[in-house]
Amino acid sequence: MTDGLTTAEIATCLVIEPKSIENYKRRISKKLNIGGRSNLIRFCIVNRDYLRKLYILVHK
């Protein structure tokens, strides 16, 4: 999202359905108590380094 990818492009990269991406974004937003796409993107930008480290850790 922070790289400007659309839902369809993210889904293609992850080899899952676009609907799944929308569901994940909604569930993450709810858990973080973040309303709206722009606020979720802002959260991702502010926490980009942490999220990348977390991604690497999870996918080892």
Side-chain angles (χ1 to χ4, degrees):
M1 286 177 31
T2 58
D3 293 332
L5 297 176
T6 65
T7 298
E9 292 169 331
I10 295 169
T12 299
C13 291
L14 297 175
V15 193
I16 60 177
E17 293 294 321
K19 183 68 177 167
S20 295
I21 299 297
E22 291 298 328
N23 287 334
Y24 294 142
K25 288 192 297 189
R26 185 177 61 254
R27 289 164 58 189
I28 291 168
S29 294
K30 184 176 180 182
K31 287 181 180 188
L32 295 174
N33 198 27
I34 297 173
R37 178 180 169 83
S38 61
N39 289 330
L40 181 58
I41 291 171
R42 186 176 300 115
F43 174 86
C44 292
I45 290 170
V46 169
N47 296 288
R48 182 179 284 182
D49 291 337
Y50 173 75
L51 294 171
R52 285 187 177 156
K53 289 176 186 175
L54 182 61
Y55 177 84
I56 291 169
L57 181 66
V58 169
H59 289 93
K60 278 189 174 185

